[in-house]
Amino acid sequence: QVQLVESGGGLVQAGGSLRLSCSASGRAFRPMTMGWYRQAPGNERELVATIAETGNTNYIDSVKGRFTVSRDNAKNTIYLQMNSLKPDDTAVYFCNADVSFGGPGSHNYWGQGTQVTVSS
């Protein structure tokens, strides 16, 4: 089993910044692709950004140029630096990870989510 714990959410005014963190813990695992998703009230959960073990990143168009995903493999932690925040960015942000335990295939885990609220 792997636990993902997010932190860093909160309330910020439009144009402000927040930095989310997600730390993975468990035994004998290797995080592969990790990422951030978000879900606003009444909406489906959507992908925000992913980062592979290699450091390759992927973003949805609406956050390109404003959000940056990064990872510290030594700490099994990923970050989401969010700048120029907009009210439309308001959502619960979830961390996600594909994890290997050394055998074939991978296992997928979710964090509990952290609320980000951007006021206009």
Side-chain angles (χ1 to χ4, degrees), residues 5 7 14 17-18 27 30 42 62 64 66 90-91 112 116 120:
V5 178
S7 61
S17 298
L18 283 174
R27 297 184 64 181
R30 187 180 94 251
S62 62
K64 286 180 179 177
R66 301 188 298 122
T90 296
Q112 81 286 354
V116 171
S120 57

Side-chain angles (χ1 to χ4, degrees), residues 22-36:
C22 170
S23 294
S25 63
R27 297 184 64 181
F29 71 100
R30 187 180 94 251
M32 298 188 291
T33 296
M34 300 181 72
W36 293 95

Side-chain angles (χ1 to χ4, degrees), residues 40-60:
N43 291 355
E44 294 187 354
R45 192 171 297 188
E46 66 173 356
L47 172 68
V48 176
T50 61
I51 183 164
E53 277 186 288
T54 58
N56 288 341
T57 58
N58 180 53
Y59 300 90
I60 57 169

